[in-house]
Amino acid sequence: MGCYDTLLSPQVASFAFGAHGMLIGGRWQSAQSSKTIDVFDPATGRKFTEVPAGDAADVDLAVRAARRAFADGPWATMPAAERGRLIWQLADRIEELVDEFAQLESLDNGKPVQQAKAVDVPEAVARFRYMAGWAGKINGETVGLSQRGEYHAYTLRRPIGVVGQIIPWNFPLVMAAYKLAPALAAGCTIILKPAEQTPMTALRLGHLMAEVGFPDGVLNIVTGYGETAGAALAAHGDVDKIAFTGSTEVGKAIARAATQNLKQVSLELGGKSPVIVFPDADLDRAIPGAAAAIFFNQGQTCTAGSRLFAHRTVYEKLVEGIHSEIGKMVMGPGLEAGTTLGPLISAEHLDRVNGYIEIGRREGATIVSGTLPRPRGGYFVNPTIIVGAAPDMRVSREEIFGPVLCVTAFDDDELDAIAMKANATEFGLAASLWTRDLSTAHRMAARIDAGTVWINTHNHFDPALAFGGMKQSGWGRESGFHAVELYSSVKAVLAPLN
Ligand code: NAP
Ligand code: MG
């Protein structure tokens, strides 16, 4: 137990500090090996519980349970509208327990509890609700054939089958919802592997799903390490689809493993997203917007606006403005009510982020650190601005995944020249443009190689709007009907009528 435990409600404390199993075929159980993984509070670095360290043997049991639930039993025969109702009820229950989920997420991940309450939990709820609405509306179509003759031809859209889902630690509940909601709507059965650092809200969700009436085996949760449980899931011969959110490096390993049985693959990977501020931007909006784009969630956001391109005429004002935004932040334990900036996820990640700041310094960039009072213990890092980072420096090219912003000035007025700089990255997840000129905004949006382009906002998501990456930021689009497509397959039926 840590020293902020008194800030937890009795329900959250009793769940978090209690014993945890993993969920296989409706039963909560230990790993076959009996091994466990310690779970830490990032605000203190103290272990607060442990979860089973599942590996290939547990993944195999979970896949069998998911296959049984997919092939027969109540889920296989359940009317689609009934699936939708269960998903909707799950959303209602999460919403009722918003405080509980927010505290649990904050304890496990370190994020400010107020942000978990205002952003993470409502996003997860919205995602389940939106996808609940698709469940009864997943149809094929009748097709008029292109060649001579009379035919009846149509398509059916069927659940893809047993799906493996591997998620990261930065938005544990939201990522679980992104993955589970469309798969459930489509009628799949699931093996979910949460990140080793943040299994808590996924496990709580597993309990809630049983409570609202999802049949056994529809959701199985294998807690475990990526290299063992995750790799076994990606390689398993009886998994029909693997969905992954995480680093580009691991995404490539997943894609390779999936070739063993040619399972379908969708990937949401890393980013190095540009924030481009034009001379006519509303700086009262752009300054807090650019600061939030990088510092929200301690910079541990795949779409973080980590490369700021500011037109020379607004450059100084922006850097000063963002620096003073840092001054308004309150760095502290996520569970304390006033905190706006929590710790990073782990000691290892703290070293990595500090390492990048040092690399930036050695490469010759200027480091402008915030000077926020630093809490004792925990994995805290000051928000940092790196000015004068040349495009070929590592800090400009690699994903830091922390509160570290690289700023560059540009003098160009040609959109193509600006776009070329912004697009000079192997990633293509997101971008934001800050301008009052509609023509600049939309002409620039067309030139940016990214799955999402925001105009005068950043990190604004909606379950209805496509989300995913171009280039090495991923394969496939989550959200909207695109997400349902990831979890279904199309069958064509053709009959000559004469
Ligand atoms: P990560 O190391 O790639 O881990 C993500 C998940 O994959 C974890 O559950 C991890 O397990 C598992 N994993 C690790 N190695 C594996 C392997 N060989 N086979 C199968 N699974 C494996 O990423 P991270 O460092 O935890 O998370 C940060 C990264 O995620 C960043 O690059 C970020 O951009 C990306 N991200 C992308 C999005 C998006 O939507 N595009 C969203 C959030 C995060 P362990 O927990 O045991 O490591
Ligand atoms: Mg990891």
Side-chain angles (χ1 to χ4, degrees):
M1 292 216 202
C3 45
Y4 303 106
D5 302 346
T6 51
L7 299 173
L8 295 173
S9 76
Q11 292 83 350
V12 175
S14 107
F15 179 77
F17 306 142
H20 300 284
M22 52 186 169
L23 179 60
I24 296 182
R27 285 190 47 230
W28 293 93
Q29 53 194 66
S30 310
Q32 299 297 297
S33 68
S34 305
K35 289 185 183 154
T36 56
I37 298 178
D38 292 342
V39 185
F40 299 93
D41 173 358
T44 58
R46 291 191 211 174
K47 169 183 169 182
F48 68 86
T49 194
E50 53 192 36
V51 296
D55 60 23
D58 306 285
V59 165
D60 195 51
L61 289 176
V63 172
R64 285 164 198 263
R67 177 59 65 191
R68 273 196 304 277
F70 183 72
D72 53 21
W75 187 247
T77 53
M78 188 179 285
E82 182 67 11
R83 285 204 308 271
R85 197 177 62 85
L86 285 177
I87 300 169
W88 191 277
Q89 284 176 342
L90 178 64
D92 284 349
R93 284 295 285 142
I94 300 168
E95 192 167 52
E96 281 163 22
L97 298 173
V98 55
D99 289 304
E100 194 175 306
F101 269 102
Q103 286 189 1
L104 194 58
E105 198 75 313
S106 176
L107 171 71
D108 205 14
N109 164 283
K111 65 179 65 203
V113 67
Q114 304 298 349
Q115 291 175 11
K117 185 172 175 177
V119 179
D120 297 59
V121 184
E123 275 230 15
V125 169
R127 185 92 12 195
F128 281 114
R129 287 229 172 92
Y130 174 84
M131 291 297 168
W134 272 120
K137 307 179 187 68
I138 301 171
N139 296 307
E141 54 190 1
T142 55
V143 179
L145 294 190
S146 64
Q147 305 200 33
R148 193 177 300 281
E150 283 187 88
Y151 302 96
H152 180 39
Y154 59 95
T155 58
L156 298 170
R157 189 172 278 281
R158 289 293 162 83
I160 206 162
V162 171
V163 306
Q165 303 184 320
I166 302 175
I167 55 175
W169 44 258
N170 59 342
F171 291 91
L173 177 66
V174 175
M175 289 294 113
Y178 265 63
K179 295 283 180 274
L180 298 180
L184 294 169
C188 295
T189 59
I190 299 159
I191 303 97
L192 178 73
K193 194 210 85 69
E196 70 191 70
Q197 296 92 343
T198 55
M200 286 294 116
T201 46
L203 294 175
R204 188 71 187 86
L205 208 53
H207 287 280
L208 274 192
M209 281 180 62
E211 182 195 307
V212 304
F214 282 90
D216 291 349
V218 171
L219 172 66
N220 305 276
I221 305 173
V222 177
T223 50
Y225 294 109
E227 293 73 12
T228 48
L233 192 54
H236 201 287
D238 198 33
V239 170
D240 300 303
K241 185 223 161 49
I242 187 94
F244 170 78
T245 295
S247 60
T248 294
E249 187 195 346
V250 174
K252 291 178 184 176
I254 301 268
R256 282 192 294 271
T259 60
Q260 302 196 21
N261 70 334
L262 283 183
K263 59 174 69 66
Q264 301 288 305
V265 181
S266 54
L267 304 169
E268 298 287 350
L269 307 175
K272 191 79 180 173
S273 299
V275 173
I276 307 172
V277 185
F278 290 89
D280 69 334
D282 175 357
L283 293 187
D284 290 341
R285 196 167 170 163
I287 289 169
I294 182 65
F295 300 131
F296 177 67
N297 211 42
Q298 298 67 245
Q300 304 167 133
T301 307
C302 51
T303 50
S306 49
R307 291 183 299 144
L308 175 64
F309 294 92
H311 192 272
R312 183 81 57 195
T313 53
V314 292
Y315 177 84
E316 292 289 333
K317 271 195 182 152
L318 262 169
V319 174
E320 273 168 33
I322 294 171
H323 196 247
S324 72
E325 288 295 317
I326 293 177
K328 296 180 199 163
M329 296 176 187
V330 180
M331 186 157 75
L335 286 169
E336 276 185 1
T339 295
T340 60
L341 196 78
L344 299 184
I345 187 68
S346 63
E348 184 192 16
H349 193 53
L350 176 64
D351 285 347
R352 187 168 175 265
V353 171
N354 279 329
Y356 269 112
I357 297 172
E358 197 40 48
I359 288 168
R361 201 188 310 273
R362 279 209 306 272
E363 285 180 315
T366 306
I367 312 296
V368 185
S369 272
T371 48
L372 299 173
R374 188 201 177 93
R376 276 187 300 134
Y379 313 131
F380 294 93
V381 63
N382 255 309
T384 298
I385 307 173
I386 301 186
V387 290
D392 58 342
M393 290 182 183
R394 283 185 62 191
V395 287
S396 303
R397 290 184 287 113
E398 297 174 19
E399 184 179 45
I400 299 175
F401 221 59
V404 181
L405 175 66
C406 292
V407 197
T408 355
F410 66 85
D411 300 290
D412 319 75
D413 292 314
E414 282 298 313
L415 296 189
D416 286 331
I418 303 166
M420 196 182 292
K421 289 177 179 159
N423 288 336
T425 164
E426 66 194 31
F427 299 110
L429 191 57
S432 64
L433 313 174
W434 302 79
T435 173
R436 289 179 163 110
D437 187 301
L438 273 179
S439 164
T440 302
H442 295 293
R443 287 173 61 222
M444 194 66 188
R447 284 164 171 74
I448 294 291
D449 300 330
T452 296
V453 178
W454 288 294
I455 297 169
N456 296 323
T457 186
H458 197 107
N459 281 344
H460 191 135
F461 303 94
D462 191 282
L465 188 63
F467 177 69
M470 292 181 180
K471 302 200 277 188
Q472 294 193 36
S473 290
W475 287 348
R477 293 292 176 275
E478 296 187 315
S479 307
F481 191 69
H482 306 288
V484 177
E485 287 176 330
L486 295 179
Y487 293 100
S488 53
S489 60
V490 173
K491 177 189 290 187
V493 182
L494 182 153
L497 294 180
N498 50 5

